[in-house]
Amino acid sequence: MARIRYGARTEAEIAAARTASSKLPDIWSTGVVAVWESDPDAVAAVLPPPLKPTGRPLVRANISKVDLPGYPLGAGSVAVAAEHGGVTGWYPLVMPMTHERALIGGREVFGEPKKLGEVEVERTGLVVRASLARHGIAFVEVRGAVSGDLPLPEPTQKTDFYFKFLPAVDGSGFEADPVLVHCVRNEKVRKLEGVTGDVVLRESMYDPVADLPVRSVVEITIGEKTTDQQGRVVERVSAQALLPYVHQRYDDPAQILDGPPEGSV
């Protein structure tokens, strides 16, 4: 009988897949990072407990093209500075990806707020433009001119905070208490340049980052880097405390509350 592809994999096949994924070479991306100071009340308002604001209301847009062999990927995020348990990091609100493959693992394993979107990074001479777009709206655009080389930073660790949860079948909330994930990224940079420019936020009902206004631009850079990441669950969090923020993950805020239609089988 021919192989039934939806059938169970053997233990050897599962082990081979794990081994292959654990031996990936360094994957380098070219990206624009913009950091700006925003309204402190707005930044505090988007942080679900137990995350807390830091001493400075910073927002970061990261817009990258990733050199995956035969599989070029656009990847981005918009995140706010946050703190938990003495650890300072970033809480991403939206992470547009250009391919479903990059979406699935991040959302299902780490709880990353990834969504399909358009990601552009363009450089012509010294002129740089990068944007994140969904539903035809470039809700973040960074534009400017390269001002010169910057010193290469030492390899560093950065932490992102995610909430991983499973919506309840009956639409009542969650199947179990959500968990807070600390995702630690080891980052190496091989090229870094400063950019003199600005950040444009456009109104979008789906990705309302325009609610985090640009009070002042802290820095804009363009560079080449590689990262790996490891996540760990640090605590279970209150379902009732997180539920008011779950709409951040969905284009339709009612989606998390969708239960089965009456009479459905």
Side-chain angles (χ1 to χ4, degrees), residues 211-247:
D211 291 349
L212 302 167
V214 181
R215 294 285 187 246
S216 63
V217 174
V218 176
E219 68 171 358
I220 303 174
T221 60
I222 184 169
E224 297 177 7
K225 66 181 180 181
T226 183
T227 61
D228 60 48
Q229 67 182 46
Q230 289 186 329
R232 65 185 181 94
V233 172
V234 293
E235 66 175 90
R236 289 200 172 271
V237 300
S238 164
Q240 288 305 113
L242 182 61
L243 193 60
Y245 297 87
V246 170
H247 65 281

Side-chain angles (χ1 to χ4, degrees), residues 19-40:
T19 300
S21 64
S22 67
K23 293 183 177 180
L24 291 174
D26 286 346
I27 298 172
W28 293 89
S29 64
T30 299
V32 172
V33 178
V35 178
W36 65 92
E37 191 161 323
S38 189
D39 179 83

Side-chain angles (χ1 to χ4, degrees), residues 140-179:
V140 176
E141 182 178 357
V142 182
R143 56 198 185 187
V146 174
S147 55
D149 292 336
L150 295 174
L152 294 182
E154 293 294 322
T156 185
Q157 286 191 338
K158 298 180 179 180
T159 301
D160 282 350
F161 305 116
Y162 305 122
F163 291 94
K164 184 177 179 179
F165 55 82
L166 186 65
V169 172
D170 62 5
S172 62
F174 305 113
E175 291 293 358
D177 285 340
V179 295

